Amino acid sequence: DADVTQTPRNRITKTGKRIMLECSQTKGHDRMYWYRQDPGLGLRLIYYSFDVKDINKGEISDGYSVSRQAQAKFSLSLESAIPNQTALYFCATSDTGAQETQYFGPGTRLLVL
Amino acid sequence: QKEVEQDPGPLSVPEGAIVSLNCTYSNSAFQYFMWYRQYSRKGPELLMYTYSSGNKEDGRFTAQVDKSSKYISLFIRDSQPSDSATYLCAGYGNNRLAFGKGNQVVVIP
């Protein structure tokens, strides 16, 4: 089984809809991250969490919110989706003792119409 | 200016050639430097990482970091079609990773 899983893998939604992307990990890591990847822009950090009670904004957090339900689960929400949020979304994890080494999930491809 | 600059132009090479990829960075706080490999429709996977300046070799892959010039390099020797992927460089500092845009590499059999 994969260490970092993301659901759904693909999603099509309409402008204005609320959508949640979920991430689960079995690596036992404390730190979890959400990134988006766009052609020509690379990977950009949306939110990150060092533990269940510690959540921080990344460089592009506007329009997104997150919830760390447990050490192993970190969800990303788009409260009111807009077309420029169409992107590939990745969850990642790292261990506090090796925080520079991040492990990525398989990604969620989101299309907002 | 992005913290990590990577010319995103695609690169096509014949099988067996040496692939050379480069990045520059601007954040002096970076202590760790990574190369991630991303196959189509997959998540990035850590290929190599280097602490501070120096070289690191792993099989056909060599990573180099020159902190004096803020330059990061990856070399792939005897390239194989299975090396066809996007390669992303990254620097780690201030509790976060900063990525370059990625280079798509195609190794032609």
Side-chain angles (χ1 to χ4, degrees), chain A residues 9 31 35 37 40-43 45 50 90 99-102 104-106 109, chain B residues 2 32 34 36 38 41-44 46 49 88 92 95-97 99-101:
Chain A
R9 293 295 313 279
R31 300 187 174 201
Y35 292 88
Q37 187 175 40
L41 294 177
L43 279 161
L45 183 63
F50 287 169
F90 289 103
Q99 56 196 298
E100 72 285 352
T101 305
Q102 294 186 13
F104 285 79
R109 192 170 296 272
Chain B
K2 279 181 67 69
Y32 293 90
M34 285 76 171
Y36 280 80
Q38 185 176 17
R41 297 188 175 274
K42 302 286 187 181
L46 182 64
Y49 83 93
L88 303 129
Y92 182 85
N95 287 320
R96 65 184 190 84
L97 269 177
F99 287 89
K101 295 179 181 179

Side-chain angles (χ1 to χ4, degrees), chain B residues 12-109:
Chain B
S12 292
V13 299
E15 183 175 353
I18 295 175
V19 176
S20 175
L21 303 172
N22 306 291
C23 296
T24 59
Y25 67 94
S26 58
N27 190 337
S28 298
F30 287 168
Q31 291 294 322
Y32 293 90
F33 303 90
M34 285 76 171
W35 284 95
Y36 280 80
R37 178 174 62 193
Q38 185 176 17
Y39 290 114
S40 181
R41 297 188 175 274
K42 302 286 187 181
E45 58 176 337
L46 182 64
L47 185 62
M48 297 185 70
Y49 83 93
T50 308
Y51 174 70
S52 193
S53 283
N55 294 357
K56 187 171 185 178
E57 189 172 319
D58 183 1
R60 296 183 294 109
F61 299 87
T62 299
Q64 291 183 349
V65 176
D66 182 346
K67 292 192 74 177
S68 64
S69 60
K70 294 187 172 64
Y71 206 75
I72 312 166
S73 301
L74 178 70
F75 301 96
I76 307 173
R77 293 182 299 279
D78 187 24
S79 57
Q80 303 295 309
S82 59
D83 295 327
S84 297
T86 296
Y87 291 82
L88 303 129
C89 60
Y92 182 85
N94 304 119
N95 287 320
R96 65 184 190 84
L97 269 177
F99 287 89
K101 295 179 181 179
N103 278 122
Q104 184 180 8
V105 173
V106 176
V107 180
I108 303 167

Side-chain angles (χ1 to χ4, degrees), chain A residues 14-102:
Chain A
K14 294 182 179 179
T15 297
K17 294 291 187 180
R18 183 180 188 275
I19 183 171
M20 179 182 287
L21 309 182
E22 298 186 336
C23 176
S24 294
Q25 53 112 348
T26 58
K27 300 186 76 67
H29 289 168
D30 293 325
R31 300 187 174 201
M32 299 187 73
Y33 311 81
W34 275 104
Y35 292 88
R36 66 176 280 177
Q37 187 175 40
D38 299 272
L41 294 177
L43 279 161
R44 293 181 292 167
L45 183 63
I46 305 172
Y47 270 96
Y48 60 104
S49 170
F50 287 169
D51 65 36
V52 175
K53 297 180 181 179
D54 183 8
I55 293 177
N56 306 277
K57 293 182 177 180
E59 58 182 301
I60 53 161
S61 58
D62 287 349
Y64 301 95
S65 63
V66 291
S67 174
R68 185 82 184 266
Q69 300 94 325
Q71 185 199 35
K73 296 185 181 297
F74 193 34
S75 300
L76 176 72
S77 293
L78 287 67
E79 297 300 327
S80 180
I82 57 176
N84 78 358
Q85 291 178 314
T86 292
L88 194 51
Y89 289 85
F90 289 103
C91 174
T93 74
S94 69
D95 188 29
T96 300
Q99 56 196 298
E100 72 285 352
T101 305
Q102 294 186 13

